[in-house]
Amino acid sequence: MRLIQWDVDRTLLVGGGVGVEAYAAAFTAVTGIPWRGALVAAGRTDLSITPELFAQHGIDDAGPHLEPFFARYAEEFAGRAGRMAVEGRLLPGAAAVLAALAGRTDVVQTLVTGNIAPVGVGKVAAFGLDAHLDTAVGGYGDDHPVRAELVRRSRERAEAAHGPFADADVLVVGDTVHDVGAALAAGVVAVGVATGPASVAELTAAGAHHVLDDLSDVEHVVAVLAG
């Protein structure tokens, strides 16, 4: 059995700014403070980013606000989710690769994303990708601030549901050096996709075991991921 843990943003899809808009609206709704932050989230987790953004707005202790903020963020995103497929887009090959892998009995696909669970799942659901994923065994940005821990949490959940996976059969697929670093820290396979901020050279230098230009060569990508 092989476990494939997909990043979401810039690996499978581009959200068109819907998530950032929902985040900003939730912040103002919970704090009453006008949003003036710059959300640079690539490869990071919401639990890591959010305290920094609260501090930018003069709130040094975000702890008491996190639970209501994430709940409101999920609501704000759900109210905008219908716009994702219009204002965002799937990246080339993403749907075809997930569908091809979903047809295999030896592969479990899920998400490991810095987004909180309702937003990460909502983003892929907006494009119908959730049908190919066991999102219940994913790792999400409201699980832990450190991305490597999301890899571990997802693996634990997947093994509880599907049985054990060897280290070499757990693959993290993402577009940032943070995705690569998380995979390496968790002792599993890192697959970089150069559709985000990191180039092929940067993903390679970060230690990725495999680097893809994108997902458009479906047969090749499936061969790399399915083994």
Side-chain angles (χ1 to χ4, degrees):
M1 290 291 291
R2 181 157 282 204
L3 176 64
I4 301 175
Q5 301 175 329
W6 289 98
D7 175 52
V8 175
D9 296 292
R10 293 285 175 181
T11 299
L12 295 174
L13 57 86
V14 175
V18 175
V20 175
E21 182 183 309
Y23 191 103
F27 176 84
T28 299
V30 168
T31 66
I33 300 172
W35 174 259
R36 53 179 176 79
L39 185 57
V40 182
R44 300 181 64 198
T45 68
D46 280 341
L47 268 176
S48 170
I49 298 161
T50 300
E52 293 181 12
L53 288 167
F54 272 68
Q56 286 179 15
H57 291 80
I59 302 173
D60 292 329
D61 182 10
H65 302 281
L66 289 178
E67 186 174 346
F69 169 71
F70 286 146
R72 184 58 181 260
Y73 178 27
E75 292 175 8
E76 294 286 348
F77 180 82
R80 295 167 170 82
R83 292 166 41 199
M84 282 281 295
V86 177
E87 299 178 27
R89 59 185 172 87
L90 284 175
L91 290 171
V97 168
L98 263 66
L101 290 168
R104 299 179 61 110
T105 59
D106 59 341
V107 170
V108 176
Q109 298 184 93
T110 191
L111 301 177
V112 167
T113 171
N115 291 290
I116 63 172
V119 173
V121 175
K123 286 181 178 181
V124 295
F127 294 94
L129 298 183
D130 56 320
H132 306 311
L133 299 160
D134 184 352
T135 56
V137 303
Y140 300 98
D142 44 350
D143 281 330
H144 198 278
V146 177
R147 196 171 184 107
E149 188 62 27
L150 308 189
V151 176
R152 297 187 184 99
R153 298 276 180 96
S154 173
R155 182 177 182 175
E156 290 170 0
R157 290 165 180 158
E159 290 186 332
H162 300 282
F165 298 88
D167 291 347
D169 288 322
V170 179
L171 286 76
V172 175
V173 188
D175 65 287
T176 74
V177 296
H178 298 291
D179 299 298
V180 173
L184 299 180
V188 300
V189 178
V191 181
V193 186
T195 47
S199 66
V200 167
E202 288 168 332
L203 293 167
T204 301
H209 297 89
H210 307 278
V211 179
L212 305 166
D213 290 325
D214 56 32
L215 304 177
S216 60
D217 186 343
V218 175
E219 184 176 354
H220 173 65
V221 175
V222 169
V224 169
L225 299 182

